[in-house]
Amino acid sequence: MIEATKNEPMTRVSYTLNGSTVTLPCCVSAPCLRVRNLSVEYYGKKVLSNVSLDINSGCITALIGPSGCGKSSFLSTLNRLTDLIPGAKVEGTVELNGQNVFSRSLNVLGLRRDIGMIFQKPNPFPLSIWKNMELPLREQGVSNKYILQELIETALRDVGLWEEVKNDLNRSALFLSGGQQQRLCIARALVLKPKILLMDEPCSALDPIASEVVERLIMSLQGAYTVVIVTHNLAQARRIANYAGFFWVKENIGTLVEFDQSKRLFDEPINPLTAAYVSGASG
Protein backbone atom coordinates (compact mmCIF):
# COMPACT_ATOMS: atom_id res chain seq x y z
CA MET A 1 0.00 0.00 0.00
CA ILE A 2 1.21 3.48 -0.85
CA GLU A 3 0.43 6.59 1.13
CA ALA A 4 1.73 10.07 0.46
CA THR A 5 3.38 11.41 3.59
CA LYS A 6 5.08 14.70 2.79
CA ASN A 7 5.67 16.97 -0.16
CA GLU A 8 8.45 19.48 -0.68
CA PRO A 9 6.98 21.68 -3.44
CA MET A 10 8.84 21.73 -6.73
CA THR A 11 11.43 19.18 -5.63
CA ARG A 12 10.58 15.83 -4.05
CA VAL A 13 7.66 13.67 -2.97
CA SER A 14 7.89 10.89 -0.38
CA TYR A 15 5.87 7.68 -0.11
CA THR A 16 5.55 5.00 2.52
CA LEU A 17 5.81 1.72 0.61
CA ASN A 18 5.76 -1.62 2.41
CA GLY A 19 7.07 0.04 5.55
CA SER A 20 9.91 1.91 3.84
CA THR A 21 10.01 5.57 2.82
CA VAL A 22 10.75 6.18 -0.86
CA THR A 23 11.52 9.74 -2.02
CA LEU A 24 10.98 10.54 -5.68
CA PRO A 25 11.59 13.62 -7.83
CA CYS A 26 8.45 15.55 -8.76
CA CYS A 27 7.95 16.74 -12.32
CA VAL A 28 6.43 20.05 -11.33
CA SER A 29 5.06 20.39 -7.81
CA ALA A 30 2.72 18.73 -5.36
CA PRO A 31 0.18 16.18 -6.62
CA CYS A 32 -2.92 17.50 -8.37
CA LEU A 33 -4.83 14.23 -7.79
CA ARG A 34 -4.82 12.34 -4.51
CA VAL A 35 -6.49 8.93 -4.54
CA ARG A 36 -7.18 7.24 -1.21
CA ASN A 37 -8.66 3.78 -0.50
CA LEU A 38 -10.50 3.69 -3.81
CA SER A 39 -12.67 0.66 -4.53
CA VAL A 40 -15.06 -0.05 -7.40
CA GLU A 41 -17.81 -2.62 -7.72
CA TYR A 42 -20.41 -3.46 -10.36
CA TYR A 43 -23.75 -4.87 -9.20
CA GLY A 44 -22.20 -5.79 -5.86
CA LYS A 45 -19.13 -7.51 -7.32
CA LYS A 46 -15.89 -5.78 -6.37
CA VAL A 47 -13.44 -5.32 -9.27
CA LEU A 48 -10.97 -2.90 -7.69
CA SER A 49 -9.92 -2.68 -4.06
CA ASN A 50 -8.21 -0.15 -1.81
CA VAL A 51 -6.10 1.84 -4.30
CA SER A 52 -4.11 4.80 -2.97
CA LEU A 53 -1.69 6.91 -4.98
CA ASP A 54 -0.85 10.48 -5.98
CA ILE A 55 -0.78 11.81 -9.54
CA ASN A 56 1.83 14.55 -9.86
CA SER A 57 1.19 17.72 -11.83
CA GLY A 58 2.76 17.96 -15.26
CA CYS A 59 3.84 14.32 -15.24
CA ILE A 60 2.98 11.32 -17.37
CA THR A 61 1.82 8.45 -15.18
CA ALA A 62 1.44 5.02 -16.80
CA LEU A 63 -0.77 2.28 -15.39
CA ILE A 64 0.25 -1.24 -16.37
CA GLY A 65 -0.96 -4.73 -15.57
CA PRO A 66 -2.85 -7.67 -17.11
CA SER A 67 -6.37 -7.45 -18.51
CA GLY A 68 -9.08 -7.42 -15.87
CA CYS A 69 -7.00 -5.90 -13.08
CA GLY A 70 -9.10 -2.73 -12.82
CA LYS A 71 -6.91 -0.18 -14.64
CA SER A 72 -9.71 1.15 -16.85
CA SER A 73 -12.17 1.12 -13.96
CA PHE A 74 -9.70 3.16 -11.94
CA LEU A 75 -9.28 5.63 -14.78
CA SER A 76 -13.05 6.05 -15.13
CA THR A 77 -13.43 7.06 -11.49
CA LEU A 78 -11.15 10.07 -11.86
CA ASN A 79 -13.69 12.11 -13.83
CA ARG A 80 -16.74 10.17 -12.67
CA LEU A 81 -17.46 8.34 -15.89
CA THR A 82 -18.43 5.52 -13.53
CA ASP A 83 -21.58 7.57 -12.90
CA LEU A 84 -22.69 6.53 -16.39
CA ILE A 85 -22.16 2.79 -15.80
CA PRO A 86 -25.25 0.92 -14.52
CA GLY A 87 -24.63 -0.87 -11.23
CA ALA A 88 -21.34 0.90 -10.54
CA LYS A 89 -20.46 1.87 -6.97
CA VAL A 90 -17.33 3.73 -5.94
CA GLU A 91 -15.90 4.04 -2.42
CA GLY A 92 -12.93 6.07 -1.21
CA THR A 93 -11.84 9.55 -2.24
CA VAL A 94 -10.30 11.25 -5.24
CA GLU A 95 -9.22 14.82 -4.55
CA LEU A 96 -8.56 17.28 -7.38
CA ASN A 97 -6.60 20.19 -5.94
CA GLY A 98 -8.07 19.46 -2.53
CA GLN A 99 -11.72 18.93 -3.56
CA ASN A 100 -13.32 15.49 -3.45
CA VAL A 101 -14.57 14.76 -6.97
CA PHE A 102 -17.33 12.54 -5.52
CA SER A 103 -18.92 15.45 -3.66
CA ARG A 104 -22.61 15.86 -4.51
CA SER A 105 -22.11 19.60 -4.87
CA LEU A 106 -19.43 19.20 -7.55
CA ASN A 107 -20.23 20.33 -11.10
CA VAL A 108 -19.64 17.06 -12.99
CA LEU A 109 -19.57 18.74 -16.42
CA GLY A 110 -16.93 21.10 -15.11
CA LEU A 111 -14.98 18.14 -13.74
CA ARG A 112 -14.99 16.43 -17.14
CA ARG A 113 -13.83 19.67 -18.75
CA ASP A 114 -10.90 19.74 -16.32
CA ILE A 115 -10.21 16.00 -16.69
CA GLY A 116 -10.58 14.92 -20.32
CA MET A 117 -10.69 11.32 -21.56
CA ILE A 118 -9.23 9.67 -24.66
CA PHE A 119 -10.50 6.18 -25.37
CA GLN A 120 -8.90 3.06 -26.84
CA LYS A 121 -10.66 3.40 -30.18
CA PRO A 122 -10.79 6.83 -31.85
CA ASN A 123 -14.33 8.17 -31.51
CA PRO A 124 -14.76 11.31 -33.63
CA PHE A 125 -18.32 12.52 -34.05
CA PRO A 126 -19.82 11.69 -37.48
CA LEU A 127 -19.51 15.38 -38.34
CA SER A 128 -16.98 17.61 -40.05
CA ILE A 129 -13.53 18.11 -38.57
CA TRP A 130 -14.52 21.68 -37.72
CA LYS A 131 -17.76 20.62 -36.02
CA ASN A 132 -15.87 18.04 -33.96
CA MET A 133 -13.76 20.85 -32.56
CA GLU A 134 -16.48 23.47 -32.37
CA LEU A 135 -19.16 21.46 -30.59
CA PRO A 136 -17.47 21.09 -27.16
CA LEU A 137 -16.56 24.78 -27.19
CA ARG A 138 -20.13 25.86 -27.95
CA GLU A 139 -21.38 23.56 -25.19
CA GLN A 140 -19.11 25.52 -22.84
CA GLY A 141 -20.60 28.81 -24.03
CA VAL A 142 -17.94 29.91 -26.54
CA SER A 143 -19.70 31.49 -29.54
CA ASN A 144 -17.43 34.26 -30.83
CA LYS A 145 -16.23 33.06 -34.23
CA TYR A 146 -12.79 34.65 -33.86
CA ILE A 147 -12.22 32.99 -30.50
CA LEU A 148 -13.49 29.68 -31.90
CA GLN A 149 -11.08 29.96 -34.84
CA GLU A 150 -8.12 30.73 -32.59
CA LEU A 151 -8.83 27.95 -30.09
CA ILE A 152 -9.50 25.32 -32.76
CA GLU A 153 -6.44 26.15 -34.83
CA THR A 154 -4.22 26.21 -31.75
CA ALA A 155 -5.44 22.79 -30.57
CA LEU A 156 -5.02 21.26 -34.02
CA ARG A 157 -1.50 22.70 -34.23
CA ASP A 158 -0.69 21.33 -30.79
CA VAL A 159 -1.38 17.78 -32.01
CA GLY A 160 0.38 18.33 -35.34
CA LEU A 161 -2.82 18.06 -37.35
CA TRP A 162 -3.42 21.60 -38.61
CA GLU A 163 -1.25 21.41 -41.73
CA GLU A 164 -2.79 18.06 -42.62
CA VAL A 165 -6.43 19.14 -42.38
CA LYS A 166 -6.57 22.94 -42.72
CA ASN A 167 -7.96 22.67 -46.26
CA ASP A 168 -10.46 19.93 -45.34
CA LEU A 169 -12.08 21.32 -42.19
CA ASN A 170 -15.56 20.86 -43.63
CA ARG A 171 -14.90 17.24 -44.55
CA SER A 172 -16.19 14.43 -42.36
CA ALA A 173 -13.77 13.42 -39.62
CA LEU A 174 -14.56 9.80 -40.45
CA PHE A 175 -12.47 10.11 -43.62
CA LEU A 176 -9.31 10.67 -41.57
CA SER A 177 -6.91 7.79 -40.94
CA GLY A 178 -7.01 6.03 -37.57
CA GLY A 179 -3.99 7.94 -36.29
CA GLN A 180 -5.40 11.25 -37.48
CA GLN A 181 -8.73 10.46 -35.85
CA GLN A 182 -7.02 9.77 -32.54
CA ARG A 183 -5.06 13.01 -32.76
CA LEU A 184 -8.31 14.83 -33.56
CA CYS A 185 -9.88 13.31 -30.44
CA ILE A 186 -6.90 14.50 -28.39
CA ALA A 187 -7.22 17.98 -29.93
CA ARG A 188 -10.95 17.94 -29.14
CA ALA A 189 -10.07 17.32 -25.50
CA LEU A 190 -7.25 19.87 -25.43
CA VAL A 191 -9.39 22.64 -26.92
CA LEU A 192 -11.21 22.85 -23.57
CA LYS A 193 -7.86 23.43 -21.84
CA PRO A 194 -8.12 20.58 -19.33
CA LYS A 195 -5.82 20.22 -16.36
CA ILE A 196 -5.56 16.43 -16.74
CA LEU A 197 -5.84 14.08 -19.70
CA LEU A 198 -6.81 10.44 -19.14
CA MET A 199 -5.87 7.98 -21.89
CA ASP A 200 -7.17 4.40 -22.02
CA GLU A 201 -4.83 2.48 -24.34
CA PRO A 202 -4.83 5.29 -26.94
CA CYS A 203 -2.46 3.48 -29.33
CA SER A 204 -3.80 -0.07 -29.17
CA ALA A 205 -6.10 0.30 -32.19
CA LEU A 206 -3.43 2.00 -34.33
CA ASP A 207 -0.75 0.67 -36.66
CA PRO A 208 2.91 1.02 -35.55
CA ILE A 209 3.54 4.21 -37.54
CA ALA A 210 0.41 5.95 -36.22
CA SER A 211 1.20 4.68 -32.73
CA GLU A 212 4.63 6.30 -32.86
CA VAL A 213 3.10 9.64 -33.90
CA VAL A 214 0.57 9.54 -31.06
CA GLU A 215 3.25 8.44 -28.59
CA ARG A 216 5.46 11.40 -29.54
CA LEU A 217 2.42 13.65 -29.11
CA ILE A 218 1.78 12.29 -25.61
CA MET A 219 5.39 12.94 -24.64
CA SER A 220 5.11 16.52 -25.92
CA LEU A 221 2.24 17.14 -23.48
CA GLN A 222 4.47 16.62 -20.44
CA GLY A 223 4.74 19.75 -18.35
CA ALA A 224 1.78 21.51 -19.93
CA TYR A 225 -0.67 18.77 -18.94
CA THR A 226 -0.94 15.98 -16.41
CA VAL A 227 -1.39 12.70 -18.29
CA VAL A 228 -2.56 9.36 -16.90
CA ILE A 229 -2.31 6.56 -19.46
CA VAL A 230 -3.38 2.93 -19.31
CA THR A 231 -1.23 0.79 -21.59
CA HIS A 232 -0.44 -2.88 -22.13
CA ASN A 233 2.70 -1.86 -24.03
CA LEU A 234 5.44 -2.10 -21.43
CA ALA A 235 8.06 -0.63 -23.77
CA GLN A 236 5.80 2.36 -24.35
CA ALA A 237 5.25 2.87 -20.62
CA ARG A 238 8.98 2.72 -20.02
CA ARG A 239 9.65 5.25 -22.79
CA ILE A 240 7.07 7.90 -21.99
CA ALA A 241 6.19 7.73 -18.28
CA ASN A 242 7.67 9.64 -15.36
CA TYR A 243 5.78 7.45 -12.91
CA ALA A 244 4.25 3.99 -13.25
CA GLY A 245 1.74 1.95 -11.28
CA PHE A 246 1.46 -1.82 -11.54
CA PHE A 247 -1.99 -3.36 -11.03
CA TRP A 248 -2.61 -7.06 -10.44
CA VAL A 249 -5.71 -9.20 -10.01
CA LYS A 250 -6.24 -11.80 -7.30
CA GLU A 251 -9.48 -13.71 -6.87
CA ASN A 252 -11.01 -11.52 -9.59
CA ILE A 253 -10.32 -8.30 -7.69
CA GLY A 254 -7.78 -5.80 -8.96
CA THR A 255 -5.49 -3.71 -6.78
CA LEU A 256 -2.38 -1.56 -6.99
CA VAL A 257 0.71 -3.61 -6.19
CA GLU A 258 3.47 -1.05 -6.70
CA PHE A 259 3.84 2.60 -7.63
CA ASP A 260 7.18 4.28 -8.26
CA GLN A 261 9.25 6.41 -10.54
CA SER A 262 8.97 4.66 -13.90
CA LYS A 263 12.64 3.83 -14.32
CA ARG A 264 12.85 2.39 -10.83
CA LEU A 265 9.68 0.32 -11.20
CA PHE A 266 10.99 -1.26 -14.40
CA ASP A 267 14.64 -1.61 -13.40
CA GLU A 268 14.43 -2.19 -9.63
CA PRO A 269 10.90 -3.33 -8.72
CA ILE A 270 10.29 -4.04 -5.05
CA ASN A 271 7.44 -6.52 -5.31
CA PRO A 272 8.13 -9.97 -6.85
CA LEU A 273 4.86 -9.76 -8.78
CA THR A 274 6.01 -6.54 -10.43
CA ALA A 275 9.40 -8.02 -11.21
CA ALA A 276 7.82 -11.05 -12.86
CA TYR A 277 5.43 -8.94 -14.91
CA VAL A 278 7.90 -6.35 -16.23
CA SER A 279 10.40 -9.09 -17.07
CA GLY A 280 7.79 -11.02 -19.09
CA ALA A 281 7.80 -13.99 -16.74
CA SER A 282 4.11 -13.55 -15.97
CA GLY A 283 1.06 -11.66 -17.18
Side-chain angles (χ1 to χ4, degrees):
M1 179 176 174
I2 305 163
E3 294 184 355
T5 55
K6 181 180 178 182
N7 292 295
E8 299 174 8
M10 306 300 291
T11 53
R12 314 286 289 183
V13 60
S14 296
Y15 292 90
T16 299
L17 180 60
N18 296 333
S20 300
T21 299
V22 179
T23 303
L24 311 175
C26 284
C27 296
V28 176
S29 60
C32 60
L33 275 177
R34 294 180 181 273
V35 181
R36 294 294 178 270
N37 304 315
L38 186 72
S39 297
V40 180
E41 61 181 54
Y42 301 118
Y43 293 107
K45 180 180 179 181
K46 186 168 287 189
V47 297
L48 188 68
S49 178
N50 200 34
V51 173
S52 297
L53 58 82
D54 289 346
I55 303 295
N56 290 321
S57 299
C59 294
I60 299 173
T61 298
L63 308 179
I64 62 172
S67 297
C69 65
K71 302 184 301 297
S72 294
S73 291
F74 171 80
L75 207 66
S76 295
T77 66
L78 302 182
N79 66 352
R80 287 181 54 174
L81 285 180
T82 43
D83 289 5
L84 307 177
I85 303 174
K89 180 181 177 182
V90 178
E91 296 179 341
T93 61
V94 175
E95 291 187 356
L96 173 61
N97 297 324
Q99 183 177 17
N100 185 5
V101 304
F102 302 134
S103 170
R104 292 185 178 182
S105 63
L106 188 78
N107 183 328
V108 178
L109 290 179
L111 173 69
R112 292 176 187 153
R113 181 184 60 241
D114 289 339
I115 306 180
M117 173 74 90
I118 304 299
F119 297 94
Q120 179 176 359
K121 184 178 179 181
N123 61 340
F125 305 136
L127 303 168
S128 69
I129 295 168
W130 177 268
K131 287 291 186 182
N132 266 269
M133 298 296 294
E134 180 186 40
L135 188 59
L137 287 169
R138 288 197 177 274
E139 287 183 344
Q140 294 297 326
V142 180
S143 58
N144 184 288
K145 65 178 182 179
Y146 300 106
I147 295 176
L148 286 168
Q149 171 69 38
E150 180 181 358
L151 292 174
I152 290 171
E153 180 175 339
T154 298
L156 289 173
R157 286 188 183 278
D158 285 347
V159 302
L161 203 53
W162 175 253
E163 293 299 327
E164 298 173 28
V165 303
K166 64 181 180 181
N167 296 321
D168 297 307
L169 293 174
N170 293 320
R171 191 180 187 191
S172 172
L174 301 181
F175 285 97
L176 296 173
S177 69
Q180 288 176 319
Q181 287 186 18
Q182 192 65 300
R183 283 188 286 151
L184 177 65
C185 292
I186 296 172
R188 192 175 63 194
L190 295 183
V191 79
L192 295 177
K193 300 186 181 303
K195 297 179 177 70
I196 299 167
L197 200 58
L198 311 177
M199 297 185 165
D200 194 356
E201 298 188 62
C203 299
S204 64
L206 306 179
D207 62 70
I209 294 176
S211 293
E212 182 180 355
V213 173
V214 172
E215 186 177 307
R216 288 202 305 268
L217 167 59
I218 295 169
M219 294 176 70
S220 75
L221 300 176
Q222 181 183 336
Y225 299 92
T226 301
V227 177
V228 186
I229 178 172
V230 167
T231 178
H232 283 288
N233 187 329
L234 297 184
Q236 180 183 77
R238 181 190 288 265
R239 284 191 299 266
I240 71 175
N242 305 109
Y243 294 88
F246 170 59
F247 285 68
W248 189 250
V249 60
K250 183 178 181 181
E251 298 178 353
N252 297 318
I253 301 176
T255 191
L256 179 67
V257 171
E258 189 166 348
F259 183 78
D260 209 330
Q261 188 177 11
S262 179
K263 178 174 174 55
R264 186 146 51 198
L265 184 138
F266 281 101
D267 293 345
E268 303 174 50
I270 295 173
N271 193 289
L273 281 173
T274 313
Y277 187 80
V278 300
S279 70
S282 68

